[in-house]
Every structure is written in structure tokens, then in C-alpha cells.
Amino acid sequence: MNLEKARKTLNKYLNSIWLFPSILTIVLIILSCLGIHGSSIGFYNVIFNGQDVPDTNLILNNPQPIRSDEWIVSTQKTIAQSNNNFREINQNLGQGEDTSLLADAPYKGWSAIFKPHNLGFLVLPLENAFALKWWSMAYMLVLSAYFFVLLFLPGKRLLAALLSLSLLASPFVQWWYTYGTLGTLYWALLGVIGFAKLINSKSLPAALLWGLALFYIATSFIFVLYPPFQIPVALVS
């Protein structure tokens, strides 16, 4: 009897909207634990050792020098923050730089709660936290797009999964794989979902819950701090 009940529960889960998010979560955990990421910081191996010296840390493909916004700027400031105990003001940068405003560097401050992709740096080893940050942006983008599609096409799980993965694989997202791009997109998608859930709430507790969620999403969207992408995305939303 219990076995039959367990089988029915498993089948119900496998046919639910939560199967795809569960698979993504497992992949995120595995990659983060292994410290695997897609940064082009490996290009320093070419700079220091030349193109003929293989990079023993490289698993797949090659670092792209054109991705300099990532491996020269945001990744370098992340490393700088790890040597600064993640203080909000980094005195090692110029005459002191407020890291809560520029280059998406992790820091200890009240506004960090609205940048959840960076919170891993406060509790995990640097390499694992960096991998978690790298893949959590893709994770959030795919999940937000997945549930966005399901909002308009309920029950179309496979289509939602394919479209969300296609968004992640799009040239624009891959070219601009930084928080300013992905964060802008997934907070906007989540905002539309949260607003739709809010206006369709059937009870006051549900409305309050979705209202709080929408407040968090909107504040997180603001703290992306990249107007060139935020303004057009906000208008479309």
C-alpha cells in the first residue's frame, strides 16, 4: 500500500511543473560544489605563458578576451573584495571605492540582501562562491522565463523549458553574461509574474505575501544599477 502510494506520488511529481526546476537546482549545486564556472579569466594564462602553454584548469572551450567586462572588471573586483574581507568600501581600489555601486562586487552591507547571487561569498570558499554566483544568474534567468511562459501557457512544461533554455543560449545573453544583463531580465520577468499573482490573489494573506515578494523583486531590480538595460526592459514589462 505504501509502495503504491509512493509510486503515485513520484508519478505526480514527475508530471508536475517542479520537475524542471528540480533538475536545474541539482545541476547548480553540483557545479557550485565542484567550483566549475564559465569565466574567461583563464585568458591570463595566455597573457603570462603564451598561447602554446595549455591551461590545466580549462575543462571545455576557450576563454574569450572580448569578454573583458567580466574577466578584467567584475571578476577582478570580486577577487579584490575577497582580500578586503568584503567590506563595502575597498580602500585598495584607487582612493577608496564603494563596491555596492560598481561592477557587481560582493560586499557586506544592508543592500546586499537584494543581490542574492553574491551572498554565497559570505559563507563559502571563494572558488565555490564564484561558481555559485556564475551559475545562479543562469539559474534565475531560466527559472523566471520558465514560470513566465507557464503564466501565459499553463501546462506547457516542455515548451516553457525549451523557451527558457533558448533565452539563456541566446547570443545577447551569452555575449553580455554579467549581472547587469541577466539580473535585469530575470527580475523583470519575476516582477511580471509577481504582479499577475498579486492582482489575482483570492485572499488577503496571499495578497500580502505576493505584495512583499513584488517589493523585494522591484527593489532588487533597482539595485542592478545598469540603466542602459533596465530602462527598456522596464518599459516592456
Side-chain angles (χ1 to χ4, degrees), residues 87-106:
R87 287 188 290 270
E88 195 164 348
I89 305 298
N90 193 324
Q91 298 294 344
N92 298 324
L93 299 175
Q95 295 180 339
E97 182 175 300
D98 187 343
T99 57
S100 67
L101 300 177
L102 299 171
D104 185 39

Side-chain angles (χ1 to χ4, degrees), residues 180-221:
T181 305
L182 279 75
T184 298
L185 292 174
Y186 64 68
W187 288 126
L189 290 170
L190 290 173
V192 174
I193 295 170
F195 181 74
K197 294 294 184 179
L198 175 62
I199 63 176
N200 287 292
S201 297
K202 303 298 183 182
S203 65
L204 180 59
L208 290 174
L209 181 63
W210 282 111
L212 288 172
L214 191 57
F215 168 79
Y216 178 82
I217 291 168
T219 306
S220 298
F221 178 84

Side-chain angles (χ1 to χ4, degrees), residues 50-123:
Q51 294 183 345
D52 296 330
V53 179
D55 186 348
T56 56
N57 293 314
L58 188 63
I59 298 175
L60 186 67
N61 295 327
N62 295 294
Q64 300 299 317
I66 193 65
R67 294 288 296 110
S68 56
D69 281 356
E70 178 264 312
W71 62 275
I72 286 182
V73 184
S74 61
T75 297
Q76 293 299 330
K77 290 194 175 182
T78 296
I79 297 172
Q81 277 296 88
S82 70
N83 295 318
N84 184 51
N85 197 28
F86 299 105
R87 287 188 290 270
E88 195 164 348
I89 305 298
N90 193 324
Q91 298 294 344
N92 298 324
L93 299 175
Q95 295 180 339
E97 182 175 300
D98 187 343
T99 57
S100 67
L101 300 177
L102 299 171
D104 185 39
Y107 60 92
K108 296 176 182 176
W110 67 269
S111 59
I113 193 65
F114 297 105
K115 301 177 181 180
H117 64 295
N118 276 332
L119 295 179
F121 289 98
L122 306 182
V123 295

Side-chain angles (χ1 to χ4, degrees), residues 41-56 58 62-63:
I41 195 171
F43 191 72
Y44 279 108
N45 181 70
V46 177
I47 294 175
F48 295 141
N49 301 316
Q51 294 183 345
D52 296 330
V53 179
D55 186 348
T56 56
L58 188 63
N62 295 294

Side-chain angles (χ1 to χ4, degrees), residues 1 29 31 45 64 69 83 103 129 165 167 180 196 199 211 221 231 233:
M1 184 67 178
I29 293 173
L31 292 174
N45 181 70
Q64 300 299 317
D69 281 356
N83 295 318
L165 291 172
L167 176 60
I199 63 176
F221 178 84
I231 292 173
V233 169

